[in-house]
Amino acid sequence: MTARLIDGRSLAARVRDEVATQVASMAEPPGLATLLVGDDPASEIYVRNKRRLCTEVGMRDLHRHLPADVTQAELASTIAGLNADPAVTGILLQLPLPSHLRPADLLELIDPDKDVDGLTEASAGRLALGKPGLRPCTPSGVVHILDRAGVELKGRHAVVVGRSNLVGKPQAQLLLERDATVSVCHRHTADLAAITRTADVLVVAAGVPHLVGADAVKPGATVVDVGIHRTEAGLCGDVDTAAVAEVAAAVTPVPGGVGPMTIAMLLWNTVAAARLQRVGGTATV
Ligand code: ADP
């Protein structure tokens, strides 16, 4: 079997088009505040990319750049100002922060209705309880990919490899919300391949290059690769894509799979945040 390669770039472009259509129908365009601290070149590139896409879909780019020596208190007061500003729909604190700052404490200051990265305790709690709220971008992007690629989730066995707060844990909850039967594997799982071989849908977010090979995949499965690693041979994921493509029905490539959808979800969440704020936190987003 040679698997279908799921084109994350074109699926993400469709999501951005849908976001642009929604933005065009709104009385006021949503505003996305990206907060960048210091001059880390990789973070600057990520933020520039997010700002460009934000403008392309017709949203307001409300970027703030703070110096590397900003204090915890100054950053906290900047976040408080953004929380209070009605022009600001979404707030994104670009990580990592300089080492003298405490990122977890700062993230918690973001109003959960403006938490477009879905990383605050309140957002995690809303997801765990099945309440309306903003979901983390990477795992919700994975669900969008599966939906848009026509992959059925209800009643199927979904296996998530990885249990991080950023990806694995919310991924499992989002798949449960979609009526999949969900197993979660991690670094202490005995015989990982025996479990992943039972997956109809396999999502790999372990941060280990080529962790999943053909022997770990059920024939006909759908495999989503969240990992991204820079090697001498170029970029690769947590899945040995070429080998797995001989067994699976569909697989996401790296690059060009989950990555573009993650950024599209940030824009999607900003529109969702606008809706959430309009109805005082009771909307289904
Ligand atoms: P990410 O941000 O991509 O989720 P983390 O490094 O925060 O990455 O988390 C990695 C997750 O992958 C952890 O939950 C860990 O238990 C899991 N993991 C790491 N190595 C393996 C492995 N060899 N087999 C199964 N799970 C693994």
Side-chain angles (χ1 to χ4, degrees), residues 141-226:
V142 169
V143 173
H144 270 262
I145 286 176
L146 292 168
D147 280 345
R148 288 162 191 266
V151 178
E152 177 73 40
L153 290 172
K154 191 173 184 172
R156 314 279 303 285
H157 187 203
V159 174
V160 179
V161 183
R163 58 172 169 181
S164 70
N165 290 335
L166 196 61
V167 187
K169 231 180 269 175
Q171 186 70 74
Q173 290 166 326
L174 286 166
L175 291 164
L176 269 181
E177 207 166 61
R178 297 295 307 278
D179 297 326
T181 301
V182 180
S183 301
V184 183
C185 302
H186 47 79
R187 64 177 85 245
H188 301 291
T189 297
D191 203 349
L192 178 68
I195 296 170
T196 57
R197 267 198 303 272
T198 66
D200 301 307
V201 175
L202 178 59
V203 181
V204 191
V208 181
H210 287 187
L211 176 67
V212 169
D215 62 332
V217 173
K218 175 159 101 173
T222 298
V223 181
V224 179
D225 189 353
V226 179

Side-chain angles (χ1 to χ4, degrees), residues 265-280:
M265 283 298 109
L266 175 68
L267 306 173
W268 179 276
N269 271 353
T270 307
V271 167
R275 213 174 298 134
L276 203 55
Q277 288 156 34
R278 245 197 335 264
V279 296

Side-chain angles (χ1 to χ4, degrees), residues 13-282:
R14 283 218 315 257
V15 168
R16 293 198 302 272
D17 284 347
E18 287 170 29
V19 169
T21 305
Q22 292 198 44
V23 169
S25 74
M26 296 165 90
E28 281 285 312
L32 175 63
T34 45
L35 255 178
L36 177 65
V37 181
D39 309 300
D40 175 54
S43 293
E44 276 183 11
I45 293 170
Y46 292 141
V47 167
R48 200 182 311 138
N49 199 16
K50 290 167 187 175
R51 294 175 63 194
R52 179 175 56 79
L53 294 172
C54 163
T55 309
E56 269 176 29
V57 297
M59 299 198 298
R60 284 201 199 115
D61 169 21
L62 305 172
H63 176 64
R64 298 285 177 90
H65 190 176
L66 299 169
D69 62 356
V70 69
T71 65
Q72 181 91 4
E74 284 165 340
L75 196 45
S77 105
T78 302
I79 293 172
L82 297 172
N83 282 341
D85 184 347
V88 174
T89 314
I91 302 170
L92 179 144
L93 178 60
Q94 183 68 39
L95 303 177
L97 294 176
S99 57
H100 67 284
L101 297 169
R102 299 185 303 281
D105 294 347
L106 290 162
L107 280 176
E108 279 318 304
L109 299 176
I110 297 174
D111 178 345
D113 288 349
K114 297 190 176 187
D115 173 26
V116 284
D117 257 344
L119 297 180
T120 61
E121 288 178 16
S123 293
R126 289 173 176 184
L127 170 59
L129 297 178
K131 290 187 169 180
L134 299 165
R135 311 310 194 204
C137 294
T138 299
S140 61
V142 169
V143 173
H144 270 262
I145 286 176
L146 292 168
D147 280 345
R148 288 162 191 266
V151 178
E152 177 73 40
L153 290 172
K154 191 173 184 172
R156 314 279 303 285
H157 187 203
V159 174
V160 179
V161 183
R163 58 172 169 181
S164 70
N165 290 335
L166 196 61
V167 187
K169 231 180 269 175
Q171 186 70 74
Q173 290 166 326
L174 286 166
L175 291 164
L176 269 181
E177 207 166 61
R178 297 295 307 278
D179 297 326
T181 301
V182 180
S183 301
V184 183
C185 302
H186 47 79
R187 64 177 85 245
H188 301 291
T189 297
D191 203 349
L192 178 68
I195 296 170
T196 57
R197 267 198 303 272
T198 66
D200 301 307
V201 175
L202 178 59
V203 181
V204 191
V208 181
H210 287 187
L211 176 67
V212 169
D215 62 332
V217 173
K218 175 159 101 173
T222 298
V223 181
V224 179
D225 189 353
V226 179
I228 184 151
H229 311 278
R230 205 171 290 280
T231 70
E232 283 186 358
L235 294 176
C236 80
D238 288 359
V239 174
D240 183 348
T241 315
V244 164
E246 295 301 316
V247 181
V251 60
T252 63
V254 176
V258 172
M261 196 54 119
T262 295
I263 305 184
M265 283 298 109
L266 175 68
L267 306 173
W268 179 276
N269 271 353
T270 307
V271 167
R275 213 174 298 134
L276 203 55
Q277 288 156 34
R278 245 197 335 264
V279 296
T282 55

